[in-house]
Amino acid sequence: MVLHTESRKDQSCLIVHGPDQPGIVAAVAALVTRNRGNIVSLDQYSSDPSSGDFFQRVVLNRPDLAAAMPEIEADLARTLTPLGLSWTLTDRSIPKRMAILVSTSDHCLLELLWRHRRGELPVTIPMVISNHTNTAEDVRAFGVPFFHVPSAGPDKAAAEAQILKLLEGNVDFVVLARYMQILSPGFLDAVSVPLINIHHSFLPAFVGAAPYRKAKERGVKLIGATSHYVTNDVDEGPIIEQDVARVTHGHSALDLQARGAYVERAVLSRAVQWHAEDRVIRHGNQTIVF
Amino acid sequence: MVLHTESRKDQSCLIVHGPDQPGIVAAVAALVTRNRGNIVSLDQYSSDPSSGDFFQRVVLNRPDLAAAMPEIEADLARTLTPLGLSWTLTDRSIPKRMAILVSTSDHCLLELLWRHRRGELPVTIPMVISNHTNTAEDVRAFGVPFFHVPSAGPDKAAAEAQILKLLEGNVDFVVLARYMQILSPGFLDAVSVPLINIHHSFLPAFVGAAPYRKAKERGVKLIGATSHYVTNDVDEGPIIEQDVARVTHGHSALDLQARGAYVERAVLSRAVQWHAEDRVIRHGNQTIVF
Amino acid sequence: MVLHTESRKDQSCLIVHGPDQPGIVAAVAALVTRNRGNIVSLDQYSSDPSSGDFFQRVVLNRPDLAAAMPEIEADLARTLTPLGLSWTLTDRSIPKRMAILVSTSDHCLLELLWRHRRGELPVTIPMVISNHTNTAEDVRAFGVPFFHVPSAGPDKAAAEAQILKLLEGNVDFVVLARYMQILSPGFLDAVSVPLINIHHSFLPAFVGAAPYRKAKERGVKLIGATSHYVTNDVDEGPIIEQDVARVTHGHSALDLQARGAYVERAVLSRAVQWHAEDRVIRHGNQTIVF
Amino acid sequence: MVLHTESRKDQSCLIVHGPDQPGIVAAVAALVTRNRGNIVSLDQYSSDPSSGDFFQRVVLNRPDLAAAMPEIEADLARTLTPLGLSWTLTDRSIPKRMAILVSTSDHCLLELLWRHRRGELPVTIPMVISNHTNTAEDVRAFGVPFFHVPSAGPDKAAAEAQILKLLEGNVDFVVLARYMQILSPGFLDAVSVPLINIHHSFLPAFVGAAPYRKAKERGVKLIGATSHYVTNDVDEGPIIEQDVARVTHGHSALDLQARGAYVERAVLSRAVQWHAEDRVIRHGNQTIVF
């Protein structure tokens, strides 16, 4: 873990992905060296050493990085494209822009705002959008704009259009921090940035509504929370992080909900941090987390 | 936790269950006192203080317990039956008799045999039954009889009848320590003692066969194991204990299976210990674990 | 766990402590019954069944409790004093008054304020006192008075006197939520209410200053936090709760501090909740936590 | 985690260590490529990107590895020595030879023997040495030679000399699986292979004898175990792995010991596995665990 407060000046994150083959690491490392970069950290994974998919994350340091980016990108295109590899190169000194969507529950929202204020999340937060107003004052106390977009009434499409208009061009990813509306496929198509959700159960157990009530009814001895990318299949997207907490017969469904809130905010925070640091790579319906 | 190796002489475990009402604790405590017993430990739970079910577990000490049991039982009948309460009184110096059914995987079996040898499980093990023979030598090295009852072939009923004949009158409960056969409703009716199973997933996630393969496909970040009482609905019985272990994208389905084995043996061991110590009370499809 | 938001009207918590002997449970239960109370929950522990110390916590429900308290207390005195037992009876509808002392770190402070606002801590917070001013605005946003008592300069005694004056008669316990001043024996004598501290290590490892730096130097693989009652021996008081988090060689001392903050706030919150619910009994330099 | 049961034929593990400097990764990767190897996995760590120590672990695959080893080693010497880097290259198809020293407690010993039989530990076990005889039968049932070297009496030097004679030339590392004798500095000098110990506490808490009794006296809420390399300073060597288990006031020192045994065997097993897979690098009094 590198804290946001440490300098990320002149640091870049390179993600490489494609068919595994001998020599990729050497090719990438040579490219970094000939562009006067130094490898700060390096992770790689191959889904199958003989014929699988290859994934690599390299954090590199290079004096005057901003000026050299086009040059490095051209070299990456020359070197990796012939090998069938795709890649992204990001300047780590530029934080990602994160919007938060929330309903009435404040625990995940406040945790993100508070970790951000501590300098632990490498993001900016241009806006919080809610279909309720109860969190407005708290959000603005953190210096973050708050927009109220009611979801009540038949015209869900209008609300989604309004949200899209607010997000468009202004954010790099969206966090659903207990946003209790199901977003339409049309919205998910149009939004064009990743969405991260927190589901209040240990998926795939207790998909859908009221997982704590279901957990109480089933008599489980652990409850959990799952953070995942949002897809058109509710609660079925690629899982980024999960965790659990121990419960007993003595806990009511309300107790499970209260205890679960602490698991939710921890799990969502880790997922957001890893996404913001380009540590998470989607691979089909799974994730590689470096 | 009281270790089996500590003396349980003259100790008795009283379980009381029924409709909650004021004065139960006082009635039971007075009964213990007037029978010259001392309360060693006491746990209670009410599913709803106003109109719920009441559950109590009392460990009591009484000189010359064995001789006094009939007298105490008569007092219990006089005192608790009028209140609509049911009860069981067991002599803790008499260990429960536990049979183990197993297929080829030895990790849960050996863990139970070994914990028993250490004196940590208050049971005797009159027999291990398997539909395979690979564990026979290990089992007999612990001084425990091993019976081979093959399950192959069309005549499942005959195999079950043979198992029933071995168990009948000889055991107080049965542990399925990775026994990979589904027992018929007829068997479950006839066996007339509790059966404890270990399922290799975090139920209700991944019910049924091949949970580790399913877990790999879903891309979960934690795997789990669940021990539960066996009912006619496969993997749906009351849960006694569950636990999880962290996994990553780098683990194959085979890795999950290897790591999961350690969660399975720990979870099953705790469930068996608690059952053997009369700490688990079934309540509908849930359990109270004191 | 009973949530603060559930009604505690007419509920009382009885703590009994003294030499173990047969019949205590029966005597207490009979007392509750004859005072028209109902036992909601009951926990007990004996340090040694034959000649040890006995501890019991009983939550009881009684219509018109407030009016009946003197009567019940008189009965307790008649019943328990002859047995050499001491006891306290508290009205659970009256929350304890908690002061928080803090220096510059806000993570434990904000966690307590926020859990209190959620209704999860059965306390009132009449004041936060700090030797710095950086948290003043946050504290007051929660509607809680903030007092600045600087500790700089040679006159520590004057600062302590000022704090004592603020606390006197206004609080039932004090939480040191990362208060980086060592309080004098004179202060601890005079304050006359319990003080709960959070130490940022897994005690007894890394007593004293800079535990994260020491942890990094020792190369531990887990870091921890410990909440304990304050005594004249720094970091040696009775432990209420502890927890840990996994770290690796890749974490700097600063990383340990950042990760540790989340363990600290969780551990302190649980300790405060349990103390506020009269779940913690001091026994020499140890605690019984029911 | 790669299971031992997977083929390690033609796999080699390269450890590189020395002063950090730009281009090391590229140099190593190019070397692997020009020797017709493929990088299977790669981990690296730098204690300080500007002027720190650099550590790298590369698992590589190369057809006909055994024949090519001298050639690769020569290339490593040509390439890395000028950069001030040290390195080791090991053939992963050759398991390390592990001796186990044990006293009377069998839990760590049996866990290692049993994991080895399952094919999870990439080692051979040429011998178990004990100063007692109670585990002899169990050990030999696993097909492992057992040697009894009594430690009683004044002539500790003679016992150590006998152990040295048994180990000499026959083992690559030694595991102290609850061996309750302190080995002399002379023995540690002479043995010339790494020794891994399991200490039954969360170091640096409770150094020395009787940690469970000390833990009970201090009233901790978690107990732990620590596996570390043995140095002349008892319980002060580089830590490989640690873990904890939750305990309560209700557990006696004997209960702590019983619960702790399960933490000990898990912690030691992981430490042994990681050492056997060349995942652990000593760095002063700390370890890098890849």
Side-chain angles (χ1 to χ4, degrees):
Chain A
M1 187 178 68
V2 180
L3 283 182
H4 179 219
T5 46
E6 291 176 30
S7 171
R8 291 177 166 192
K9 191 172 167 305
D10 289 335
Q11 281 200 356
S12 167
C13 183
L14 170 66
I15 303 289
V16 176
H17 171 212
D20 200 2
Q21 55 203 289
I24 302 181
V25 178
V28 169
L31 183 148
V32 170
T33 303
R34 74 173 166 258
N35 284 279
R36 295 199 292 130
N38 189 25
I39 292 177
V40 175
S41 78
L42 186 158
D43 294 283
Q44 65 163 58
Y45 167 68
S46 178
S47 63
D48 181 341
S50 56
S51 64
D53 286 291
F54 175 85
F55 304 88
Q56 192 182 42
R57 178 183 185 267
V58 179
V59 174
L60 58 101
N61 190 287
R62 201 261 186 212
D64 293 319
L65 175 74
M69 288 277 285
E71 196 180 326
I72 301 175
E73 285 173 335
D75 199 349
L76 283 163
R78 275 193 308 274
T79 309
L80 300 183
T81 310
L83 302 172
L85 299 166
S86 62
W87 52 271
T88 58
L89 185 75
T90 51
D91 186 335
R92 297 191 85 213
S93 68
I94 303 171
K96 289 197 198 323
R97 299 164 302 165
M98 170 177 85
I100 304 175
L101 269 66
V102 70
S103 294
T104 55
S105 295
D106 66 357
H107 55 283
C108 289
L109 169 70
L110 292 180
E111 182 75 8
L112 292 174
L113 291 172
W114 182 72
R115 290 195 186 214
H116 176 251
R117 189 174 77 176
R118 280 170 77 82
E120 294 182 2
L121 291 180
V123 300
T124 58
I125 308 181
M127 70 188 74
V128 169
I129 300 171
S130 178
N131 54 337
H132 295 269
T133 57
N134 62 301
T135 60
E137 197 178 340
D138 274 335
V139 169
R140 288 176 182 143
F142 279 94
V144 172
F146 175 92
F147 301 113
H148 179 223
V149 181
S151 59
D155 202 356
K156 183 174 172 173
E160 289 193 344
Q162 200 179 339
I163 295 172
L164 273 178
K165 210 170 161 64
L166 287 165
L167 298 176
E168 197 170 36
N170 293 320
V171 304
D172 297 310
F173 70 110
V174 176
V175 176
L176 308 182
R178 298 298 306 271
Y179 183 66
M180 309 308 279
Q181 302 289 316
I182 294 179
L183 296 163
S184 72
F187 179 91
L188 296 179
D189 275 356
V191 72
S192 75
V193 295
L195 286 91
I196 295 174
N197 186 43
I198 179 74
H199 183 72
H200 38 316
S201 83
F202 182 84
L203 289 177
F206 309 127
V207 166
Y212 292 125
R213 185 174 52 70
K214 290 175 189 162
K216 178 65 186 170
E217 285 165 8
R218 182 61 187 92
V220 291
K221 301 301 185 187
L222 297 169
I223 54 167
T226 304
S227 187
H228 62 92
Y229 288 112
V230 177
T231 62
N232 279 323
D233 297 319
V234 172
D235 301 336
E236 297 287 349
I239 294 170
I240 305 170
E241 172 63 338
Q242 306 187 281
D243 214 338
V244 295
R246 193 160 279 275
V247 296
T248 76
H249 61 269
H251 292 105
S252 66
L254 218 69
D255 289 334
L256 300 193
Q257 183 181 319
R259 290 174 88 87
Y262 296 98
V263 185
E264 292 168 34
R265 68 177 190 175
V267 165
L268 180 60
S269 294
R270 290 200 289 268
V272 165
Q273 178 155 13
W274 297 340
H275 176 83
E277 293 178 343
D278 291 308
R279 294 181 176 280
V280 191
I281 307 177
R282 292 173 66 156
H283 180 221
N285 204 43
Q286 303 180 11
T287 62
I288 318 298
V289 181
F290 283 133
Chain B
M1 187 178 67
V2 180
L3 282 183
H4 180 219
T5 46
E6 291 175 31
S7 171
R8 293 177 165 192
K9 190 173 169 303
D10 289 335
Q11 281 201 354
S12 167
C13 184
L14 169 65
I15 303 289
V16 176
H17 171 212
D20 199 2
Q21 56 202 285
I24 303 181
V25 177
V28 170
L31 183 148
V32 170
T33 303
R34 75 174 166 259
N35 284 279
R36 294 201 291 131
N38 189 24
I39 292 178
V40 175
S41 78
L42 185 157
D43 294 283
Q44 64 163 57
Y45 167 67
S46 177
S47 64
D48 181 342
S50 57
S51 64
D53 284 290
F54 174 85
F55 304 88
Q56 192 181 43
R57 177 183 185 268
V58 179
V59 174
L60 58 103
N61 190 287
R62 202 262 185 211
D64 293 321
L65 174 74
M69 286 278 282
E71 195 180 326
I72 301 174
E73 285 173 334
D75 199 348
L76 282 164
R78 275 193 308 273
T79 309
L80 299 183
T81 309
L83 302 173
L85 300 165
S86 63
W87 51 271
T88 58
L89 185 74
T90 52
D91 185 334
R92 296 191 86 213
S93 69
I94 304 170
K96 290 197 197 321
R97 301 163 301 165
M98 170 177 84
I100 303 174
L101 266 66
V102 69
S103 293
T104 55
S105 295
D106 65 359
H107 56 282
C108 288
L109 169 70
L110 292 180
E111 183 74 9
L112 291 174
L113 292 171
W114 180 72
R115 290 195 185 213
H116 176 251
R117 190 175 77 178
R118 278 171 80 81
E120 294 183 1
L121 292 180
V123 299
T124 58
I125 308 180
M127 70 188 75
V128 170
I129 300 172
S130 178
N131 54 337
H132 295 269
T133 57
N134 62 302
T135 61
E137 198 179 338
D138 275 333
V139 169
R140 288 176 181 140
F142 279 93
V144 171
F146 175 93
F147 301 113
H148 178 222
V149 180
S151 58
D155 202 356
K156 183 173 172 175
E160 289 193 343
Q162 200 181 338
I163 295 172
L164 273 177
K165 210 171 161 67
L166 288 165
L167 298 176
E168 197 170 37
N170 293 322
V171 303
D172 297 308
F173 70 109
V174 176
V175 176
L176 309 182
R178 301 296 307 270
Y179 183 66
M180 309 309 280
Q181 302 290 316
I182 295 179
L183 296 163
S184 71
F187 179 91
L188 296 179
D189 275 355
V191 72
S192 75
V193 293
L195 286 91
I196 295 174
N197 187 41
I198 179 75
H199 183 70
H200 38 316
S201 83
F202 182 84
L203 288 176
F206 309 126
V207 166
Y212 291 124
R213 186 174 52 69
K214 290 174 189 164
K216 178 66 186 169
E217 285 166 8
R218 182 62 187 90
V220 292
K221 302 301 185 185
L222 297 169
I223 54 167
T226 304
S227 187
H228 62 92
Y229 288 113
V230 178
T231 61
N232 279 324
D233 298 318
V234 173
D235 301 335
E236 298 287 349
I239 294 170
I240 305 170
E241 172 63 337
Q242 305 187 280
D243 214 339
V244 295
R246 195 160 277 275
V247 296
T248 76
H249 61 268
H251 292 104
S252 66
L254 218 70
D255 289 334
L256 300 193
Q257 183 181 320
R259 289 173 88 87
Y262 296 99
V263 185
E264 293 168 32
R265 69 177 189 176
V267 165
L268 180 61
S269 293
R270 290 201 289 268
V272 165
Q273 178 155 11
W274 297 339
H275 176 85
E277 292 178 344
D278 290 308
R279 295 181 176 279
V280 191
I281 306 177
R282 292 173 66 155
H283 180 221
N285 205 42
Q286 303 179 10
T287 62
I288 319 297
V289 181
F290 284 132
Chain C
M1 189 177 67
V2 179
L3 282 182
H4 179 220
T5 47
E6 289 177 33
S7 171
R8 293 178 165 190
K9 191 174 167 302
D10 289 337
Q11 281 200 355
S12 167
C13 184
L14 170 66
I15 303 289
V16 176
H17 171 212
D20 200 3
Q21 55 202 287
I24 303 181
V25 177
V28 170
L31 183 149
V32 170
T33 302
R34 75 173 166 258
N35 284 279
R36 294 198 295 129
N38 189 24
I39 292 177
V40 175
S41 77
L42 187 158
D43 294 282
Q44 65 163 57
Y45 167 68
S46 178
S47 63
D48 181 341
S50 56
S51 64
D53 284 291
F54 174 85
F55 304 88
Q56 191 181 43
R57 177 183 185 267
V58 179
V59 174
L60 57 102
N61 190 287
R62 202 263 186 209
D64 293 320
L65 175 73
M69 287 277 284
E71 195 180 327
I72 301 175
E73 285 174 333
D75 198 349
L76 282 164
R78 276 193 307 274
T79 309
L80 299 184
T81 309
L83 302 173
L85 298 167
S86 63
W87 52 270
T88 59
L89 185 75
T90 53
D91 185 335
R92 296 191 85 215
S93 68
I94 303 171
K96 290 197 198 322
R97 300 165 300 166
M98 169 177 85
I100 305 176
L101 268 65
V102 70
S103 294
T104 55
S105 295
D106 65 358
H107 56 282
C108 289
L109 169 70
L110 293 180
E111 184 73 10
L112 292 174
L113 292 171
W114 179 73
R115 290 196 186 214
H116 176 252
R117 189 174 79 177
R118 279 170 79 82
E120 293 183 2
L121 292 180
V123 299
T124 58
I125 309 181
M127 70 188 74
V128 170
I129 300 171
S130 179
N131 54 336
H132 296 268
T133 56
N134 62 301
T135 60
E137 197 178 339
D138 274 335
V139 169
R140 289 176 181 142
F142 279 95
V144 172
F146 175 93
F147 301 113
H148 178 221
V149 181
S151 58
D155 202 357
K156 184 173 171 174
E160 289 193 344
Q162 200 180 338
I163 295 172
L164 273 177
K165 208 170 162 66
L166 288 166
L167 298 175
E168 196 170 35
N170 293 320
V171 304
D172 297 309
F173 70 109
V174 176
V175 175
L176 308 182
R178 299 298 306 271
Y179 183 66
M180 310 309 279
Q181 301 290 316
I182 293 180
L183 296 163
S184 71
F187 179 92
L188 296 179
D189 275 356
V191 72
S192 75
V193 294
L195 287 91
I196 296 174
N197 186 42
I198 179 73
H199 183 70
H200 38 315
S201 83
F202 182 84
L203 289 177
F206 309 126
V207 166
Y212 291 125
R213 185 174 53 71
K214 290 175 189 162
K216 178 66 186 169
E217 285 166 8
R218 182 61 187 92
V220 291
K221 301 302 186 185
L222 298 169
I223 54 167
T226 304
S227 187
H228 62 91
Y229 289 113
V230 177
T231 61
N232 279 323
D233 298 318
V234 172
D235 301 335
E236 296 288 349
I239 294 171
I240 305 170
E241 172 63 337
Q242 305 187 282
D243 214 339
V244 295
R246 192 160 279 275
V247 296
T248 76
H249 61 269
H251 292 105
S252 66
L254 217 70
D255 289 334
L256 299 193
Q257 183 181 319
R259 289 173 89 87
Y262 296 99
V263 185
E264 292 167 32
R265 68 177 191 177
V267 165
L268 180 61
S269 294
R270 290 200 290 268
V272 165
Q273 177 155 13
W274 297 341
H275 176 84
E277 293 178 343
D278 290 308
R279 295 181 176 279
V280 191
I281 307 177
R282 291 173 66 156
H283 180 222
N285 205 43
Q286 303 180 11
T287 63
I288 318 299
V289 182
F290 284 131
Chain D
M1 186 178 69
V2 180
L3 283 181
H4 179 217
T5 47
E6 290 176 32
S7 172
R8 293 177 166 192
K9 191 173 167 302
D10 288 336
Q11 281 200 356
S12 167
C13 184
L14 170 65
I15 303 289
V16 176
H17 171 212
D20 200 1
Q21 55 201 287
I24 303 181
V25 178
V28 169
L31 183 149
V32 171
T33 303
R34 75 174 166 257
N35 283 280
R36 294 200 292 132
N38 190 23
I39 292 177
V40 175
S41 77
L42 186 158
D43 294 283
Q44 64 164 57
Y45 167 68
S46 177
S47 63
D48 181 341
S50 56
S51 63
D53 284 291
F54 175 85
F55 304 88
Q56 192 181 42
R57 177 183 185 267
V58 179
V59 174
L60 58 101
N61 191 287
R62 203 264 186 208
D64 293 320
L65 175 74
M69 287 277 283
E71 197 180 325
I72 300 174
E73 285 173 334
D75 199 349
L76 283 164
R78 273 193 309 273
T79 309
L80 300 183
T81 309
L83 302 173
L85 299 165
S86 64
W87 51 270
T88 58
L89 185 74
T90 52
D91 185 335
R92 296 191 85 214
S93 68
I94 303 171
K96 290 198 197 322
R97 301 164 300 166
M98 170 177 85
I100 304 175
L101 268 65
V102 69
S103 294
T104 55
S105 295
D106 66 357
H107 56 282
C108 288
L109 169 70
L110 292 180
E111 183 74 9
L112 291 174
L113 291 171
W114 181 72
R115 290 195 186 213
H116 177 252
R117 188 173 80 179
R118 280 170 78 83
E120 295 182 3
L121 291 180
V123 299
T124 58
I125 308 180
M127 70 186 75
V128 169
I129 300 172
S130 179
N131 54 336
H132 295 267
T133 56
N134 62 302
T135 61
E137 197 177 338
D138 275 333
V139 169
R140 288 177 180 140
F142 279 94
V144 171
F146 175 93
F147 301 113
H148 179 223
V149 180
S151 57
D155 202 356
K156 184 174 171 174
E160 289 193 345
Q162 200 179 339
I163 295 172
L164 273 177
K165 210 172 162 63
L166 287 166
L167 298 176
E168 196 170 37
N170 292 321
V171 303
D172 297 309
F173 70 109
V174 175
V175 176
L176 309 182
R178 300 298 306 271
Y179 183 66
M180 308 308 280
Q181 301 289 317
I182 294 180
L183 296 163
S184 71
F187 178 91
L188 296 179
D189 275 356
V191 72
S192 75
V193 295
L195 286 92
I196 295 175
N197 187 42
I198 180 75
H199 182 71
H200 38 318
S201 84
F202 182 83
L203 288 176
F206 309 127
V207 165
Y212 291 124
R213 185 173 53 69
K214 290 174 190 164
K216 179 66 186 167
E217 285 166 8
R218 181 63 187 88
V220 292
K221 301 301 185 185
L222 297 169
I223 54 167
T226 304
S227 188
H228 62 92
Y229 289 113
V230 177
T231 62
N232 279 324
D233 297 319
V234 172
D235 300 335
E236 297 288 348
I239 293 170
I240 305 170
E241 172 64 336
Q242 306 186 282
D243 214 339
V244 295
R246 193 161 278 275
V247 296
T248 76
H249 61 269
H251 292 105
S252 66
L254 218 70
D255 289 334
L256 299 194
Q257 183 180 320
R259 289 174 87 87
Y262 296 99
V263 185
E264 293 167 33
R265 69 177 190 177
V267 165
L268 180 61
S269 293
R270 290 201 289 268
V272 165
Q273 178 154 11
W274 297 340
H275 176 84
E277 292 178 345
D278 291 307
R279 294 181 177 279
V280 191
I281 307 178
R282 292 173 66 155
H283 180 221
N285 204 42
Q286 303 180 11
T287 63
I288 319 297
V289 181
F290 284 131

